[in-house]
């Protein structure tokens, strides 16, 4: 193997093919001819003395060697990003890009609010934000596609460092006119007879609900299912139905009086946790460290105002 291959521009072409799964699509993103991409991949494979992809009818998939090279290349890119941020910090310039990924419930309210308040002090820091499922967020962090993940978790994940973990109880979400809207707390047994609006089975919320209903031998049939939390909340707000959410995801609607929410007494619905995740073993850029400190500060303020549990 030629070690200089790892410093070649071909590595950029290689990573784009890994991301897109296609030479043609990679060429479009790189704004070069497909033949140029193919030549660079062939050159990289020749210098590495191994094939890096499985050629399939509908595209290209990295083989075991390709996966190893992709992981290495992404770590190198992260280290270079961190080096650039650290150099800027030495010069007294607070700049950089923080790549965030979060569950949908946080992506449309909580996280943008955090970014806005953080940038009042760190105006040179830029952000990107993607929404993903709870299961996909650790994968994106491991793949180097995001610096920080904000998610809900039930179990630990390999190669993931948890920067913050705090309880995130599930709340029942109701229209203000709902017959149960005046209750201080509710149970799933009380809610089961009403039309339920639920996320898909991949969500931690749905998993907890099914565990709790199974333990109590409760039978329920969702009236409405969706991957989109906002759609579920709207259904509850405009019907006699019930949705489930953490408080932060619906805070703006609560303040406008569109909905009300109540804690659930069922123990399983209080076993969910909010986590801030990063890649284990990766030294974080200073901008990421500062943003994580900001998240912890905001979470601490919420906890102090909510009896020790973050209302997410």
């Amino acid at each position: 193997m030629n070690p200089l291959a790892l410093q070649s521009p071909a590595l950029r072409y290689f990573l784009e093919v890994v991301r897109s799964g296609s030479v043609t699509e990679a060429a479009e993103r790189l704004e070069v001819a497909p033949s140029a991409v193919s030549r660079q991949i062939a050159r990289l494979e020749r210098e590495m003395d191994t094939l890096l992809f499985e050629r399939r009818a509908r595209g290209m998939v990295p083989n075991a060697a390709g996966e190893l090279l992709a992981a290495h290349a992404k770590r190198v890119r992260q280290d270079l990003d961190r080096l650039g941020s650290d150099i800027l910090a030495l010069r007294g310039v607070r700049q950089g890009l923080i790549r965030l990924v979060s569950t949908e419930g946080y992506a449309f309210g909580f996280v943008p609010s955090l970014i806005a308040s953080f940038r009042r002090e760190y105006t040179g820091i830029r952000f990107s934000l993607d929404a993903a499922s709870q299961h996909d967020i650790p994968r994106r962090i491991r793949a180097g596609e995001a610096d920080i993940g904000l998610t809900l978790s039930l179990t630990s994940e390999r190669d993931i460092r948890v920067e913050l973990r705090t309880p995130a109880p599930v709340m029942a979400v109701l229209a203000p006119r709902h017959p149960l809207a005046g209750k201080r707390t509710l149970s799933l047994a009380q809610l089961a007879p009403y039309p339920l609006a639920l996320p898909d089975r991949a969500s931690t919320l749905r998993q907890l609900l099914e565990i709790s209903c199974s333990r109590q031998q409760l039978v329920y049939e969702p009236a409405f299912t969706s991957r989109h939390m906002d759609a579920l909340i709207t259904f509850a707000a405009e019907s006699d139905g019930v949705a489930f959410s953490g408080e932060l995801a619906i805070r703006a609607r609560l303040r406008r009086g569109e909905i009300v929410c109540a804690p659930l007494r069922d123990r399983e619905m209080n076993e969910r946790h909010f986590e801030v995740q990063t890649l284990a073993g990766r030294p974080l850029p200073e901008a990421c460290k500062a943003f994580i400190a900001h998240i912890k500060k905001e979470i601490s303020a919420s906890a102090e105002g909510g009896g020790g549990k973050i209302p997410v």
Side-chain angles (χ1 to χ4, degrees):
M1 182 186 77
N2 181 4
L4 294 177
L6 298 181
Q7 303 174 26
S8 167
L11 205 58
R12 182 163 63 97
Y13 288 52
F14 164 76
L15 282 175
E16 197 58 59
V17 175
V18 170
R19 277 192 290 267
S20 63
S22 162
V23 167
T24 302
E25 188 172 340
E28 290 178 358
R29 294 181 179 180
L30 293 165
E31 298 183 342
V32 298
S35 59
V37 176
S38 295
R39 283 196 303 270
Q40 291 289 350
I41 296 299
R43 175 188 171 191
L44 188 59
E45 290 182 323
R46 186 170 59 253
E47 293 181 336
M48 297 288 291
D49 193 26
T50 184
L51 293 176
L52 299 170
F53 290 95
E54 295 178 12
R55 272 73 171 177
R56 298 180 179 177
R58 296 188 177 181
M60 297 173 66
V61 178
N63 59 19
E67 292 282 4
L68 286 174
L69 179 58
H72 168 80
K74 289 170 182 176
R75 287 194 296 269
V76 169
R77 184 180 61 189
Q78 289 175 338
D79 289 342
L80 288 173
D81 289 344
R82 177 176 177 269
L83 177 62
S85 296
D86 289 348
I87 289 173
L88 288 171
L90 289 173
R91 293 169 51 193
V93 181
R94 292 180 173 179
Q95 296 181 358
L97 171 67
I98 300 176
R99 298 167 303 157
L100 304 175
V101 61
S102 79
T103 53
E104 184 181 297
Y106 296 127
F108 295 100
F110 177 53
V111 176
S113 178
L114 283 174
I115 293 171
S117 56
F118 180 79
R119 292 192 77 257
R120 293 187 188 111
E121 181 176 356
Y122 298 93
T123 55
I125 303 300
R126 295 172 294 116
F127 289 84
S128 68
L129 171 62
D130 283 333
S133 69
Q134 291 113 319
H135 301 292
D136 198 37
I137 287 174
R139 182 199 64 78
R140 292 198 183 193
I141 294 173
R142 284 192 291 266
E145 297 172 5
D147 301 306
I148 301 171
L150 297 95
T151 186
L152 294 160
S153 178
L154 299 177
T155 59
S156 59
E157 293 279 349
R158 66 175 180 83
D159 299 326
I160 295 296
R161 179 171 61 216
V162 177
E163 304 284 352
L164 173 67
R165 189 172 195 262
T166 191
V170 178
M171 314 284 281
V173 182
L174 313 164
R177 62 183 179 279
H178 194 281
L180 300 178
K183 302 291 185 181
R184 291 179 60 86
T185 63
L186 290 167
S187 69
L188 291 177
Q190 290 173 284
L191 298 171
Y194 292 91
L196 300 183
L198 302 178
D200 61 30
R201 295 181 184 276
S203 73
T204 57
L205 192 156
R206 182 70 176 270
Q207 292 166 17
L208 290 173
L209 187 143
E210 291 186 350
I211 291 170
S212 188
C213 287
S214 176
R215 176 181 63 83
Q216 301 178 65
Q217 297 184 333
L218 294 175
V219 177
Y220 72 92
E221 182 69 30
F224 177 37
T225 60
S226 175
R227 293 184 179 182
H228 303 292
M229 181 61 67
D230 194 62
L232 301 174
I233 301 303
T234 297
F235 173 82
E238 299 185 9
S239 70
D240 63 345
V242 180
F244 300 90
S245 174
E247 190 269 345
L248 278 180
I250 57 174
R251 180 169 291 177
R253 288 190 170 200
L254 287 169
R255 288 173 175 167
R256 293 194 296 266
E258 298 173 11
I259 51 174
V260 297
C261 67
L264 294 169
R265 295 192 292 272
D266 311 84
R267 66 170 184 265
E268 291 86 357
M269 307 306 283
N270 290 275
E271 292 178 356
R272 196 174 62 161
H273 287 79
F274 169 80
E275 288 189 355
V276 177
Q277 300 178 346
T278 61
L279 183 63
R282 178 200 174 194
L284 287 174
E286 292 302 317
C288 290
K289 292 180 183 178
F291 186 64
I292 290 171
H294 180 70
I295 296 172
K296 291 178 178 178
K297 179 181 176 183
E298 293 298 312
I299 295 303
S300 177
S302 294
E304 289 174 2
K309 288 186 177 181
I310 175 175
V312 295

